[in-house]
Amino acid sequence: MGHKFSLVLSRQITDEESVILREAGFADAAFLSDSLPTNADVAVTKIDFDDTASPTLAEAIETALETVKKVPDLTVPGLSVPAVPKESPADEPPVLVGEVVDEAAAAEQPPAKKTAAKKRSAKKVSAAVQGAGGV
């Protein structure tokens, strides 16, 4: 998986400028016509990246910003990075509800309390799933 992000340039670029950027490292990037996010009347070029060569997202962005400087009078007024889900270690289950259950304490509770705790937990999980768009 690569590092995905987009740069919004300060203006539309020419075909010659596109060639300069592609030869300078944007060969796999997608160049699109767009409008400036702060002013829909201003036509700009948006470049979408899926960088698989850089070890980190920060380095991928820094490289792209440096490459844009190869074209005179071109700046980057916009950067967008899609949200990336945090990965959990393989031995750690994902957390659905922000509640920590002490297994030892739960085992010591009388059966009636265990059942009530399970029902409360099931309701919280159900509410969390529904709030996340499921069920």
Side-chain angles (χ1 to χ4, degrees), residues 53-105:
S54 298
T56 66
L57 175 61
E59 288 179 29
I61 293 170
E62 287 175 21
T63 300
L65 292 172
E66 285 300 314
T67 303
V68 168
K69 292 179 182 178
K70 295 185 184 294
V71 176
D73 302 319
L74 187 61
T75 60
V76 180
L79 164 70
S80 66
V81 180
V84 178
K86 181 182 175 190
E87 293 184 23
S88 298
D91 61 339
E92 186 177 309
V95 176
L96 295 177
V97 179
E99 181 178 330
V100 176
V101 178
D102 181 357
E103 296 287 333

Side-chain angles (χ1 to χ4, degrees), residues 34 108 121 125 133:
D34 204 351
E108 294 174 6
S121 180
V125 169

